[in-house]
Coordinates of all heavy atoms in Angstrom, one line a residue:
M1005 N 104.2 89.4 83.7 CA 103.4 90.2 82.9 C 104.3 91.2 82.1 O 105.1 91.9 82.8 CB 102.4 91.0 83.7 CG 101.4 90.0 84.4 SD 100.1 89.6 83.4 CE 99.5 88.3 84.3
Q1006 N 104.1 91.4 80.9 CA 105.0 92.4 80.1 C 104.3 93.9 80.1 O 105.1 94.7 80.1 CB 105.0 91.9 78.7 CG 105.8 90.6 78.6 CD 107.2 90.9 79.0 OE1 107.9 91.8 78.6 NE2 107.7 89.8 79.9
N1007 N 103.1 93.9 80.3 CA 102.5 95.4 80.2 C 101.3 95.5 81.0 O 100.6 94.4 81.4 CB 102.3 95.8 78.8 CG 101.3 95.0 78.0 OD1 100.3 94.8 78.5 ND2 101.7 94.4 76.9
K1008 N 100.8 96.7 81.3 CA 99.7 96.9 82.2 C 98.4 96.4 81.5 O 97.4 96.1 82.1 CB 99.6 98.4 82.6 CG 99.1 99.3 81.5 CD 98.8 100.6 82.0 CE 98.5 101.6 81.0 NZ 97.3 101.4 80.3
G1009 N 98.4 96.3 80.2 CA 97.2 95.8 79.4 C 96.9 94.4 79.8 O 95.7 94.1 79.9
Q1010 N 97.9 93.6 80.0 CA 97.6 92.2 80.4 C 97.1 92.2 81.8 O 96.3 91.3 82.2 CB 99.0 91.4 80.3 CG 99.5 91.1 79.0 CD 100.9 90.4 78.9 OE1 101.8 91.0 79.6 NE2 100.9 89.3 78.3
W1011 N 97.7 92.9 82.7 CA 97.1 93.0 84.1 C 95.7 93.4 84.2 O 94.8 92.9 84.8 CB 98.0 94.0 84.9 CG 99.4 93.5 85.2 CD1 99.9 92.4 84.7 CD2 100.4 94.1 86.0 NE1 101.2 92.2 85.2 CE2 101.5 93.3 86.0 CE3 100.4 95.3 86.7 CZ2 102.7 93.6 86.6 CZ3 101.6 95.6 87.5 CH2 102.7 94.8 87.3
L1012 N 95.4 94.5 83.4 CA 94.0 94.9 83.4 C 93.1 94.0 82.8 O 91.9 93.8 83.4 CB 93.9 96.2 82.6 CG 94.6 97.5 83.2 CD1 94.7 98.6 82.3 CD2 93.9 97.9 84.5
A1013 N 93.5 93.2 81.8 CA 92.6 92.1 81.2 C 92.3 91.0 82.2 O 91.3 90.5 82.1 CB 93.3 91.6 79.9
L1014 N 93.3 90.9 83.2 CA 93.0 89.9 84.2 C 92.2 90.4 85.4 O 92.0 89.7 86.3 CB 94.4 89.2 84.7 CG 95.0 88.4 83.6 CD1 96.5 88.2 84.2 CD2 94.3 87.2 83.4
G1015 N 91.9 91.7 85.3 CA 91.1 92.3 86.4 C 91.9 92.9 87.6 O 91.4 93.2 88.6
V1016 N 93.3 93.0 87.4 CA 94.1 93.6 88.3 C 93.8 95.1 88.4 O 93.7 95.9 87.4 CB 95.6 93.5 88.0 CG1 96.5 94.2 89.0 CG2 95.9 92.0 88.0
K1017 N 93.5 95.6 89.7 CA 93.1 97.0 89.9 C 94.3 97.8 90.5 O 94.3 99.0 90.3 CB 92.0 97.1 90.7 CG 90.7 96.5 90.1 CD 89.5 96.7 91.1 CE 88.2 96.0 90.4 NZ 87.0 96.3 91.2
A1018 N 95.2 97.1 91.3 CA 96.3 97.8 92.0 C 97.4 97.0 92.1 O 97.3 95.7 92.2 CB 95.8 98.3 93.3
V1019 N 98.6 97.6 92.0 CA 99.9 96.9 92.2 C 100.6 97.6 93.4 O 100.8 98.9 93.4 CB 100.9 97.0 91.1 CG1 102.2 96.4 91.2 CG2 100.2 96.4 89.8
F1020 N 101.0 96.9 94.5 CA 101.7 97.5 95.6 C 103.1 97.0 95.7 O 103.5 95.9 95.4 CB 100.8 96.8 96.8 CG 99.4 97.4 96.9 CD1 98.4 96.7 96.3 CD2 99.2 98.5 97.8 CE1 97.1 97.1 96.4 CE2 98.0 98.9 97.8 CZ 96.9 98.2 97.1
S1021 N 103.9 97.9 96.2 CA 105.3 97.6 96.5 C 105.6 98.5 97.7 O 104.9 99.3 98.2 CB 106.2 98.0 95.3 OG 106.1 99.4 95.0
G1022 N 106.8 98.2 98.2 CA 107.2 98.9 99.5 C 108.8 99.0 99.6 O 109.4 98.7 98.8
H1023 N 109.0 99.5 100.8 CA 110.5 99.8 101.3 C 111.2 100.8 100.4 O 112.2 100.8 100.3 CB 111.3 98.4 101.3 CG 112.4 98.5 102.2 ND1 112.2 98.1 103.5 CD2 113.7 98.8 101.9 CE1 113.5 98.3 104.0 NE2 114.2 98.8 103.1
Y1024 N 110.4 101.8 100.1 CA 110.9 103.0 99.3 C 111.4 104.1 100.3 O 111.9 105.1 99.8 CB 109.9 103.5 98.4 CG 110.3 104.7 97.5 CD1 111.4 104.5 96.6 CD2 109.4 105.7 97.4 CE1 111.7 105.6 95.8 CE2 109.8 106.8 96.6 CZ 110.9 106.7 95.8 OH 111.3 107.8 95.0
H1025 N 111.0 104.0 101.5 CA 111.3 104.9 102.5 C 110.5 106.3 102.5 O 110.8 107.2 103.2 CB 112.8 105.2 102.6 CG 113.7 104.1 103.0 ND1 113.7 103.7 104.3 CD2 114.3 103.2 102.3 CE1 114.6 102.6 104.5 NE2 114.9 102.3 103.1
R1026 N 109.4 106.2 101.6 CA 108.4 107.3 101.6 C 107.3 106.7 100.8 O 107.4 105.7 100.1 CB 109.0 108.4 101.0 CG 109.3 108.2 99.4 CD 109.9 109.4 98.8 NE 111.3 109.6 99.4 CZ 112.1 110.6 99.3 NH1 111.7 111.7 98.6 NH2 113.3 110.6 99.8
N1027 N 106.1 107.3 100.9 CA 104.9 106.8 100.3 C 104.9 107.6 98.9 O 105.3 108.7 98.7 CB 103.6 107.3 100.9 CG 103.4 106.4 102.3 OD1 103.5 105.2 102.2 ND2 103.3 107.1 103.4
A1028 N 104.5 106.9 97.9 CA 104.4 107.3 96.5 C 103.5 106.6 95.7 O 102.9 105.6 96.2 CB 105.8 107.2 95.8
G1029 N 103.2 106.9 94.5 CA 102.4 106.1 93.5 C 101.6 107.1 92.7 O 101.9 108.3 92.6
G1030 N 100.8 106.4 92.0 CA 100.0 107.2 90.9 C 99.0 106.2 90.3 O 98.9 105.0 90.5
C1031 N 98.2 106.7 89.3 CA 97.4 105.8 88.4 C 97.7 106.0 87.0 O 97.9 107.2 86.6 CB 95.9 106.2 88.8 SG 94.8 105.1 88.1
H1032 N 97.7 105.0 86.3 CA 98.0 105.1 84.8 C 97.1 104.3 84.0 O 97.1 102.9 84.3 CB 99.4 104.8 84.5 CG 99.8 104.9 83.1 ND1 99.8 106.1 82.5 CD2 100.2 103.9 82.2 CE1 100.1 105.9 81.1 NE2 100.3 104.5 81.0
G1033 N 96.2 104.7 83.4 CA 95.3 104.0 82.5 C 94.4 103.1 83.3 O 94.1 101.9 82.9
G1034 N 94.0 103.4 84.6 CA 93.1 102.6 85.4 C 93.8 101.7 86.2 O 93.2 100.9 87.1
L1035 N 95.2 101.6 86.3 CA 96.0 100.7 87.2 C 96.6 101.5 88.1 O 97.4 102.5 88.0 CB 97.0 100.1 86.4 CG 97.7 99.0 87.1 CD1 96.9 97.8 87.7 CD2 98.8 98.3 86.2
D1036 N 96.2 101.3 89.5 CA 96.7 102.1 90.7 C 98.0 101.5 91.0 O 98.2 100.4 91.2 CB 95.7 102.0 91.8 CG 95.8 102.9 92.9 OD1 96.6 103.9 92.7 OD2 95.2 102.9 93.9
M1037 N 99.1 102.3 91.1 CA 100.5 101.8 91.5 C 100.7 102.5 92.9 O 100.7 103.8 93.0 CB 101.5 102.4 90.5 CG 101.2 101.9 89.1 SD 101.3 100.2 88.8 CE 103.0 99.8 89.1
V1038 N 100.9 101.7 93.9 CA 101.1 102.2 95.3 C 102.4 101.8 95.9 O 102.7 100.6 95.8 CB 99.9 101.6 96.1 CG1 99.9 102.1 97.6 CG2 98.6 102.0 95.5
V1039 N 103.1 102.7 96.3 CA 104.4 102.3 96.9 C 104.2 102.8 98.5 O 103.9 103.9 98.7 CB 105.5 103.2 96.3 CG1 106.8 102.8 97.0 CG2 105.6 102.8 94.8
S1040 N 104.5 101.9 99.3 CA 104.5 102.2 100.7 C 105.7 102.4 101.5 O 106.7 101.8 101.1 CB 103.7 101.1 101.5 OG 102.4 100.9 101.1
S1041 N 105.8 103.4 102.3 CA 107.1 103.7 103.0 C 107.5 102.4 103.8 O 106.8 101.7 104.3 CB 106.8 104.9 103.9 OG 107.9 105.3 104.7
A1042 N 108.8 102.5 104.2 CA 109.3 101.5 105.1 C 108.9 102.0 106.5 O 108.5 103.0 106.8 CB 110.9 101.5 105.0
I1043 N 108.8 100.8 107.4 CA 108.3 101.2 108.7 C 109.4 101.7 109.6 O 109.3 102.4 110.5 CB 107.7 100.0 109.5 CG1 106.9 100.2 110.5 CG2 108.9 98.9 109.8 CD1 105.9 99.2 111.1
G1044 N 110.7 101.6 109.2 CA 111.8 102.1 109.9 C 112.2 103.5 109.5 O 111.5 104.5 109.7
C1045 N 113.4 103.6 108.8 CA 114.0 104.9 108.5 C 113.1 105.6 107.4 O 112.9 105.0 106.3 CB 115.5 104.7 108.1 SG 116.2 106.2 107.5
Q1046 N 112.7 106.8 107.6 CA 112.1 107.7 106.7 C 113.0 108.6 106.0 O 113.7 109.3 106.7 CB 110.9 108.4 107.4 CG 109.9 107.5 108.1 CD 109.2 106.4 107.3 OE1 108.7 106.7 106.1 NE2 109.3 105.2 107.8
L1047 N 112.8 108.8 104.7 CA 113.6 109.7 104.0 C 112.8 110.9 103.6 O 113.3 111.9 103.2 CB 114.2 109.1 102.6 CG 115.2 108.0 103.0 CD1 115.7 107.3 101.7 CD2 116.3 108.3 103.8
G1048 N 111.5 110.8 103.6 CA 110.7 112.0 103.3 C 110.0 112.5 104.6 O 110.5 112.4 105.7
D1049 N 108.8 113.1 104.3 CA 108.0 113.6 105.4 C 107.0 112.6 106.0 O 106.4 113.0 107.0 CB 107.2 114.8 105.0 CG 108.2 115.9 104.6 OD1 109.3 116.2 105.2 OD2 107.8 116.7 103.7
D1050 N 106.9 111.5 105.5 CA 106.0 110.4 106.0 C 106.4 109.9 107.4 O 107.5 109.8 107.6 CB 105.8 109.3 105.1 CG 105.3 109.7 103.7 OD1 104.2 110.4 103.7 OD2 105.8 109.3 102.6
T1051 N 105.4 109.6 108.2 CA 105.7 109.1 109.5 C 105.8 107.5 109.4 O 105.4 107.0 108.5 CB 104.7 109.5 110.6 OG1 103.4 109.0 110.1 CG2 104.6 111.0 110.7
H1052 N 106.4 107.0 110.5 CA 106.5 105.5 110.5 C 105.1 105.0 110.5 O 104.2 105.4 111.2 CB 107.2 105.0 111.8 CG 108.6 105.6 111.9 ND1 109.6 105.1 111.2 CD2 109.1 106.7 112.6 CE1 110.7 105.8 111.5 NE2 110.4 106.8 112.3
G1053 N 104.8 103.9 109.8 CA 103.5 103.3 109.7 C 103.4 102.1 108.8 O 104.3 101.7 108.3
V1054 N 102.0 101.8 108.6 CA 101.8 100.6 107.7 C 100.6 101.0 106.7 O 99.9 101.9 107.1 CB 101.5 99.4 108.6 CG1 102.6 99.0 109.3 CG2 100.3 99.6 109.4
R1055 N 100.5 100.4 105.7 CA 99.4 100.5 104.7 C 98.3 99.4 105.0 O 98.8 98.3 105.0 CB 99.8 100.5 103.3 CG 98.7 100.8 102.3 CD 99.1 101.1 100.9 NE 100.1 102.2 100.9 CZ 99.8 103.4 100.9 NH1 98.6 103.9 100.9 NH2 100.9 104.3 100.8
V1056 N 97.2 99.7 105.3 CA 96.1 98.7 105.4 C 95.4 98.7 104.1 O 94.9 99.7 103.5 CB 95.1 99.2 106.5 CG1 93.9 98.2 106.6 CG2 95.8 99.3 107.8
V1057 N 95.3 97.5 103.6 CA 94.7 97.2 102.2 C 93.4 96.3 102.5 O 93.6 95.3 103.1 CB 95.5 96.6 101.3 CG1 94.9 96.3 100.0 CG2 96.9 97.4 101.1
V1058 N 92.2 96.7 101.9 CA 91.0 95.9 102.1 C 90.6 95.6 100.7 O 90.5 96.6 99.9 CB 89.9 96.6 102.9 CG1 88.7 95.8 102.8 CG2 90.4 96.9 104.3
V1059 N 90.3 94.3 100.3 CA 90.0 94.0 99.0 C 88.5 93.5 99.1 O 88.3 92.4 99.9 CB 90.8 92.9 98.4 CG1 90.4 92.5 97.0 CG2 92.3 93.3 98.3
T1060 N 87.6 94.0 98.3 CA 86.3 93.6 98.4 C 86.0 93.0 97.1 O 86.9 93.0 96.2 CB 85.3 94.7 98.6 OG1 85.3 95.7 97.6 CG2 85.6 95.4 100.0
A1061 N 84.7 92.6 96.8 CA 84.3 92.1 95.5 C 84.4 93.1 94.3 O 84.6 92.8 93.2 CB 83.0 91.4 95.5
D1062 N 84.3 94.4 94.8 CA 84.2 95.4 93.8 C 85.3 96.4 93.8 O 85.5 97.2 92.8 CB 82.9 96.3 94.0 CG 81.7 95.3 94.0 OD1 81.6 94.5 92.9 OD2 80.8 95.5 94.7
D1063 N 86.1 96.3 94.8 CA 87.1 97.5 94.9 C 88.4 97.0 95.8 O 88.4 96.1 96.4 CB 86.5 98.7 95.7 CG 87.0 100.0 95.3 OD1 88.0 100.0 94.6 OD2 86.6 101.0 95.7
V1064 N 89.3 97.8 95.6 CA 90.6 97.8 96.4 C 90.7 99.1 97.2 O 90.8 100.1 96.6 CB 91.9 97.4 95.7 CG1 93.1 97.5 96.5 CG2 91.7 96.1 94.9
I1065 N 90.6 99.1 98.6 CA 90.8 100.3 99.3 C 92.0 100.2 100.2 O 92.3 99.2 100.8 CB 89.5 100.5 100.2 CG1 88.2 100.4 99.4 CG2 89.6 101.7 101.2 CD1 87.5 99.2 99.5
H1066 N 92.8 101.1 100.0 CA 94.0 101.3 100.8 C 94.3 102.6 101.5 O 94.0 103.6 100.9 CB 95.3 100.9 100.0 CG 95.4 101.8 98.8 ND1 96.3 102.9 98.9 CD2 95.0 101.7 97.5 CE1 96.3 103.5 97.8 NE2 95.5 102.9 97.0
R1067 N 94.9 102.6 102.7 CA 95.2 103.7 103.4 C 96.4 103.6 104.3 O 96.6 102.6 104.9 CB 94.0 104.2 104.2 CG 94.0 105.7 104.5 CD 92.6 106.1 105.0 NE 91.5 105.8 104.1 CZ 90.3 105.3 104.4 NH1 90.0 105.1 105.7 NH2 89.5 105.1 103.4
Y1068 N 97.3 104.6 104.2 CA 98.5 104.5 105.2 C 98.1 105.1 106.5 O 97.5 106.0 106.6 CB 99.6 105.4 104.5 CG 100.9 105.2 105.2 CD1 101.7 104.2 104.8 CD2 101.4 106.1 106.0 CE1 103.1 104.0 105.5 CE2 102.7 106.1 106.7 CZ 103.4 105.0 106.4 OH 104.7 104.8 107.0
H1069 N 98.5 104.3 107.6 CA 98.2 104.8 108.9 C 99.6 104.8 109.7 O 100.4 103.9 109.6 CB 97.4 103.6 109.7 CG 95.9 103.6 109.3 ND1 95.6 103.0 108.0 CD2 94.9 104.0 109.7 CE1 94.3 103.1 107.9 NE2 93.8 103.7 108.9
S1070 N 99.8 106.0 110.3 CA 101.0 106.2 111.2 C 100.8 105.2 112.3 O 99.8 104.8 112.8 CB 101.1 107.6 111.6 OG 100.1 107.8 112.5
L1071 N 102.1 104.9 112.9 CA 102.0 104.0 114.1 C 101.3 104.7 115.2 O 100.7 104.1 116.0 CB 103.4 103.6 114.4 CG 104.1 102.6 113.5 CD1 105.6 102.3 114.0 CD2 103.4 101.4 113.1
E1072 N 101.5 106.0 115.3 CA 100.8 106.9 116.3 C 99.4 106.9 116.2 O 98.7 106.6 117.2 CB 101.4 108.3 116.2 CG 100.8 109.2 117.4 CD 101.1 108.6 118.8 OE1 102.2 108.1 119.0 OE2 100.2 108.8 119.7
Q1073 N 98.9 106.9 115.0 CA 97.5 106.9 114.7 C 96.9 105.4 115.1 O 95.8 105.4 115.9 CB 97.1 107.0 113.3 CG 95.6 106.9 113.0 CD 95.3 106.9 111.5 OE1 96.1 107.2 110.7 NE2 94.1 106.9 111.2
L1074 N 97.7 104.4 114.9 CA 97.1 103.0 115.2 C 97.1 102.9 116.7 O 96.3 102.3 117.3 CB 98.0 102.0 114.5 CG 97.9 101.9 113.1 CD1 99.0 100.9 112.5 CD2 96.5 101.5 112.7
R1075 N 98.2 103.4 117.4 CA 98.3 103.3 118.9 C 97.2 104.1 119.6 O 96.6 103.6 120.5 CB 99.7 103.8 119.3 CG 100.0 103.7 120.7 CD 101.5 104.1 121.1 NE 102.1 104.9 120.2 CZ 103.1 104.5 119.4 NH1 103.6 103.2 119.5 NH2 103.8 105.4 118.6
A1076 N 96.9 105.3 119.0 CA 95.9 106.1 119.7 C 94.5 105.6 119.5 O 93.7 105.8 120.4 CB 96.0 107.4 119.2
G1077 N 94.2 105.0 118.3 CA 92.8 104.8 118.0 C 92.5 103.7 117.0 O 91.4 103.4 116.7
G1078 N 93.5 103.1 116.5 CA 93.3 102.0 115.5 C 93.2 102.6 114.1 O 93.3 103.7 113.8
M1079 N 92.8 101.8 113.3 CA 92.6 102.1 111.9 C 91.3 102.9 111.7 O 90.4 102.7 112.6 CB 92.6 101.0 110.9 CG 91.5 100.0 111.0 SD 91.6 98.7 109.9 CE 92.6 97.5 110.8
D1080 N 91.1 103.5 110.6 CA 89.9 104.3 110.2 C 88.7 103.3 110.3 O 88.7 102.2 110.0 CB 89.9 104.8 109.0 CG 90.9 105.9 108.9 OD1 91.4 106.5 109.9 OD2 91.5 106.2 107.7
E1081 N 87.6 103.9 110.9 CA 86.4 103.1 111.1 C 85.8 102.4 109.8 O 85.3 101.3 109.8 CB 85.2 103.9 111.7 CG 84.1 103.2 112.1 CD 84.3 102.1 113.3 OE1 85.2 102.4 114.0 OE2 83.5 101.2 113.3
D1082 N 85.9 103.1 108.8 CA 85.3 102.6 107.5 C 86.1 101.4 107.1 O 85.4 100.3 106.7 CB 85.2 103.6 106.4 CG 86.6 104.2 106.1 OD1 87.5 104.2 106.9 OD2 86.7 104.5 104.8
L1083 N 87.3 101.4 107.2 CA 88.2 100.1 107.0 C 87.8 99.1 107.9 O 87.8 97.7 107.5 CB 89.7 100.5 107.0 CG 90.2 101.5 105.9 CD1 91.7 101.7 106.0 CD2 90.0 100.9 104.5
R1084 N 87.8 99.4 109.3 CA 87.4 98.4 110.2 C 86.1 97.6 109.8 O 86.0 96.4 110.0 CB 87.3 99.0 111.5 CG 87.2 97.9 112.7 CD 87.2 98.6 114.0 NE 88.4 99.3 114.3 CZ 88.6 100.5 114.7 NH1 87.5 101.2 115.0 NH2 89.8 101.0 114.9
K1085 N 85.1 98.4 109.4 CA 83.8 97.8 109.1 C 83.8 96.9 107.9 O 83.3 95.8 107.8 CB 82.8 98.9 108.8 CG 82.3 99.6 110.1 CD 81.4 100.7 109.8 CE 80.7 101.4 111.0 NZ 79.9 102.4 110.9
L1086 N 84.7 97.3 106.9 CA 84.9 96.5 105.7 C 85.6 95.1 106.0 O 85.2 94.2 105.5 CB 85.7 97.2 104.6 CG 85.0 98.3 103.9 CD1 86.0 99.1 103.0 CD2 83.9 97.7 103.0
L1087 N 86.5 95.2 107.0 CA 87.2 93.9 107.4 C 86.2 93.0 108.2 O 86.5 91.7 108.1 CB 88.4 94.2 108.2 CG 89.6 94.9 107.5 CD1 90.6 95.3 108.4 CD2 90.2 94.0 106.5
Q1088 N 85.2 93.6 108.8 CA 84.3 92.7 109.7 C 83.3 92.1 108.7 O 82.7 91.2 109.2 CB 83.7 93.6 110.7 CG 84.7 94.0 111.8 CD 84.1 95.0 112.8 OE1 83.1 95.4 112.7 NE2 84.9 95.2 113.8
A1089 N 83.0 92.6 107.5 CA 81.9 92.0 106.8 C 82.2 90.8 106.2 O 83.2 90.3 106.1 CB 81.8 93.1 105.6

C-alpha cells in the first residue's frame, strides 16, 4: 500500500508493529498506528508485557498488559468478555 487512503478505503482501522522497546503510536486521519514494546529489554518507562488485540465486527480494541498484571489477575474483564463472544 502506498498511502493511508488506500488502507482506509479497504476498511483498515489500525496498523500494529512492535519491538520498539517502548509503547508508542497515534492516530492520523482515522488510522490508528500502534507500536508495542518488546517483551524483553525496555528503553522507556513501560514494563515488560504484551498487547492484547480484540477485533470485532465493528471495532479494534487493544490494550497493553504488563506481565505482572497478567500474572496477578489476567487481562481486563471487558477484553475477556469480548474474546468469549
Side-chain angles (χ1 to χ4, degrees):
M1005 300 274 167
Q1006 292 297 314
N1007 62 55
K1008 73 174 177 62
Q1010 291 175 306
W1011 291 3
L1012 292 170
L1014 292 171
V1016 175
K1017 295 181 179 184
V1019 176
F1020 292 87
S1021 65
H1023 204 90
Y1024 181 58
H1025 296 277
R1026 67 185 72 194
N1027 289 306
C1031 187
H1032 181 66
L1035 186 60
D1036 199 9
M1037 305 295 290
V1038 182
V1039 181
S1040 295
S1041 180
I1043 199 164
C1045 179
Q1046 304 300 315
L1047 298 179
D1049 294 330
D1050 298 312
T1051 60
H1052 301 282
V1054 296
R1055 184 169 304 279
V1056 176
V1057 180
V1058 179
V1059 179
T1060 68
D1062 300 317
D1063 209 356
V1064 177
I1065 302 102
H1066 60 90
R1067 202 162 304 137
Y1068 189 81
H1069 289 78
S1070 72
L1071 295 181
E1072 182 58 37
Q1073 178 185 359
L1074 292 174
R1075 183 176 19 254
M1079 72 177 80
D1080 295 337
E1081 186 64 28
D1082 62 329
L1083 294 179
R1084 188 177 299 129
K1085 286 180 180 178
L1086 285 170
L1087 288 172
Q1088 293 172 351

